[in-house]
């Protein structure tokens, strides 16, 4: 057994956290030999609900949980933390586009970035789930300048999982055989789910499924899947979002398998291989070794894909501008 690590989940009284906490405490993210101090952050009106979550975590009798700390205080939550799941935010309701949420949620991520800067370990790994996830991650990183930008990522793994599930169903395959479908750009309706490098059981997806489906119905189904779940459930995706958050952080912690890449929203470095502007949080195919991600170069981007990348880039640049205006800060990140 290794020394316990401190893990924080924000929005801990919410619906995604309700599924996610189980996976973390059960060893599905950090492995079955990693003890965990689990800190649960939420806002004061939710403390009663959070008390019930703490009771249930206790009643699960998880062997890996050494301590559970419910709190409303970011200083308590983020002190010496190793891994943070930033889930807490106002969720999208039926009929709302993610842009509508931006101004309310960006302020939360500014405060949390400042607190991480002051209290967290400098090698803390931060996953932003709360929407608009890419731009929230950017703001969080901006207000935590003492922590490397590489340590802030946004979740597009749910979109990747959705894309893999659609293709597996379309070709009648086991999902474990579907590889290297990627999400480019924003976790929003402008994201580009891309099959052009994907395979099913080693065969190119483009040989198995007709191009018109891949460029039209497939793209819009994945882009609008979150809205379809809201329309059906009257609440946003929770179980699948929690599973994707667990997948994202597990791969970051343990590493990706050779030749099997994953999608992550990361702060775009200068000179990235796909010519995306520097300084936005953009989803790329990445591989992870020794807890460090790197963008996988060399995937083909045809004219159709480039036009899709340009649309999602434009949206992210606009979101960045709006977010910085909300934060009333210098627009230079
Ligand atoms: N990136 C993705 O793929 C993805 C997928 C699904 C949902 N989401 C987003 O995840 C977020 C959470 O969704 P949910 O369904 O769990 O929502 P929820 O409303 O059930 O829970 C959100 C929780 O966050 C808490 N919260 C609000 N402000 C907070 C703050 N400042 N600090 C700590 N906690 C705070 C709320 O009190 C609530 O308990 C939403 O923004 C949703 O849009 C993202």
């Amino acid at each position: 057994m290794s020394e316990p690590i401190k893990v924080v989940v924000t929005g801990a009284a919410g619906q995604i956290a309700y599924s996610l906490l189980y996976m973390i405490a059960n060893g599905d993210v950090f492995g079955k030999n990693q003890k965990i101090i689990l800190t649960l952050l939420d806002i004061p009106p939710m403390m009663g609900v959070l008390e019930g979550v703490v009771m249930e975590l206790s009643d699960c009798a998880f062997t890996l949980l050494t301590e559970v700390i419910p709190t409303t205080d970011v200083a308590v939550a983020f002190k010496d933390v190793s891994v943070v799941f930033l889930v807490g935010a106002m969720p999208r309701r039926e009929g709302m586009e993610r842009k509508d949420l931006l101004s309310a949620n960006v302020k939360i991520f500014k405060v949390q970035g400042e607190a991480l800067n002051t209290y967290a370990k400098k090698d803390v790994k931060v996953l932003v789930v709360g929407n608009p996830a890419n731009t929230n991650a950017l703001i969080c990183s901006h207000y935590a300048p003492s922590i490397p930008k590489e340590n802030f990522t946004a979740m597009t793994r749910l979109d990747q999982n959705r894309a893999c599930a659609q293709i597996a169903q379309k070709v009648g395959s086991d999902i474990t055989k579907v590889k290297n479908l990627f999400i480019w750009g924003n976790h929003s309706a402008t994201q580009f789910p891309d099959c052009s490098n994907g395979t099913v059981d080693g065969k190119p997806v483009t040989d198995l499924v007709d191009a018109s489906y891949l460029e039209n119905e497939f793209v819009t189904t994945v882009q609008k899947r979150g809205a379809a779940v809201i329309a059906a459930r009257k609440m946003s995706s929770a179980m699948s979002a929690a599973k994707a958050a667990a997948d994202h952080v597990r791969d970051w912690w343990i590493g990706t398998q050779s030749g099997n890449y994953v999608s992550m929203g990361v702060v775009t470095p200068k000179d990235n291989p796909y010519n995306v502007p520097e300084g936005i949080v953009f989803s790329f195919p990445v591989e992870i070794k020794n807890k460090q991600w790197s963008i996988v170069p060399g995937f083909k981007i045809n004219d159709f894909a480039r036009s899709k990348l340009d649309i999602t880039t434009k949206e992210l640049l606009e979101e960045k501008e709006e977010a910085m205006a909300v934060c009333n800060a210098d627009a230079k990140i």
Side-chain angles (χ1 to χ4, degrees):
M1 274 295 165
S2 354
E3 283 297 297
I5 51 166
K6 182 171 174 184
V7 176
V8 172
V9 177
T10 74
Q15 51 154 4
I16 293 176
Y18 193 73
S19 294
L20 177 60
L21 295 173
Y22 177 90
M23 295 181 217
I24 297 171
N26 197 41
D28 299 346
V29 179
F30 302 103
K32 301 285 181 190
N33 291 316
Q34 180 61 64
K35 294 221 174 219
I36 288 162
I37 300 164
L38 193 50
T39 304
L40 311 178
L41 182 75
D42 213 297
I43 52 176
M46 297 307 286
M47 283 302 107
V49 174
L50 197 57
E51 209 177 297
V53 174
V54 173
M55 284 186 230
E56 286 208 73
L57 284 167
S58 168
D59 297 347
C60 285
F62 288 115
T63 54
L64 295 173
L65 272 193
T66 59
E67 200 179 346
V68 178
I69 306 166
T71 183
T72 58
D73 183 348
V74 284
V76 171
F78 294 154
K79 180 79 186 146
D80 297 329
V81 65
S82 294
V83 180
V84 184
F85 294 80
L86 291 179
V87 180
M90 183 196 290
R92 182 164 48 128
R93 310 246 179 244
E94 195 171 0
M96 261 176 129
E97 272 307 314
R98 290 171 57 274
K99 264 189 164 180
D100 304 334
L101 285 180
L102 187 136
S103 60
N105 282 334
V106 136
K107 291 177 200 144
I108 295 176
F109 289 83
K110 176 182 178 193
V111 170
Q112 293 183 345
E114 288 165 344
L116 285 165
N117 195 49
T118 308
Y119 300 109
K121 287 176 140 182
K122 296 304 168 202
D123 64 353
V124 64
K125 308 256 176 293
V126 182
L127 166 64
V128 176
V129 175
N131 280 319
N134 298 51
T135 298
N136 287 341
L138 185 73
I139 294 300
C140 206
S141 158
H142 179 66
Y143 286 99
S146 68
I147 298 168
K149 289 197 181 313
E150 294 75 36
N151 296 19
F152 293 84
T153 61
M155 189 167 93
T156 52
R157 186 61 170 269
L158 175 55
D159 307 296
Q160 180 182 309
N161 288 348
R162 287 167 171 164
C164 291
Q166 290 299 318
I167 293 298
Q169 280 166 29
K170 182 80 179 167
V171 303
S173 160
D174 180 333
I175 194 147
T176 58
K177 298 199 166 89
V178 182
K179 310 265 188 234
N180 293 339
L181 305 192
F182 306 126
I183 305 301
W184 301 90
N186 202 359
H187 168 68
S188 77
T190 68
Q191 66 175 267
F192 176 45
D194 179 16
C195 285
S196 50
N197 303 285
T199 56
V200 180
D201 206 11
K203 297 183 198 78
V205 173
T206 47
D207 288 355
L208 301 171
V209 183
D210 68 272
S212 154
Y213 170 80
L214 294 177
E215 289 189 359
N216 296 290
E217 192 183 333
F218 167 75
V219 171
T220 51
T221 301
V222 177
Q223 287 176 333
K224 300 280 183 187
R225 187 69 163 183
V229 171
I230 293 174
R233 242 170 60 85
K234 311 297 175 209
M235 285 191 289
S236 66
S237 314
M239 178 171 47
S240 55
K243 163 68 166 50
D247 288 345
H248 177 120
V249 174
R250 184 200 59 234
D251 287 344
W252 201 356
W253 197 254
I254 290 168
T256 48
Q257 290 167 359
S258 170
N260 193 9
Y261 308 119
V262 294
S263 308
M264 266 192 187
V266 300
V267 181
T268 49
K270 197 168 177 246
D271 301 327
N272 60 79
Y274 298 101
N275 296 322
V276 175
E278 186 185 4
I280 52 179
V281 170
F282 194 93
S283 179
F284 292 99
V286 301
E287 67 180 327
I288 302 156
K289 286 185 190 144
N290 303 321
K291 299 187 170 56
Q292 306 288 325
W293 56 261
S294 58
I295 298 171
V296 184
F299 287 115
K300 55 187 177 211
I301 303 287
N302 59 22
D303 289 349
F304 173 74
R306 179 51 65 188
S307 70
K308 294 287 182 191
L309 262 62
D310 289 348
I311 292 169
T312 196
T313 299
K314 181 169 176 283
E315 182 183 56
L316 281 166
L317 288 168
E318 284 166 9
E319 279 189 13
K320 174 178 174 177
E321 200 174 315
E322 285 169 40
M324 292 311 294
V326 168
C327 291
N328 197 19
D330 193 320
K332 250 179 154 184
I333 288 190

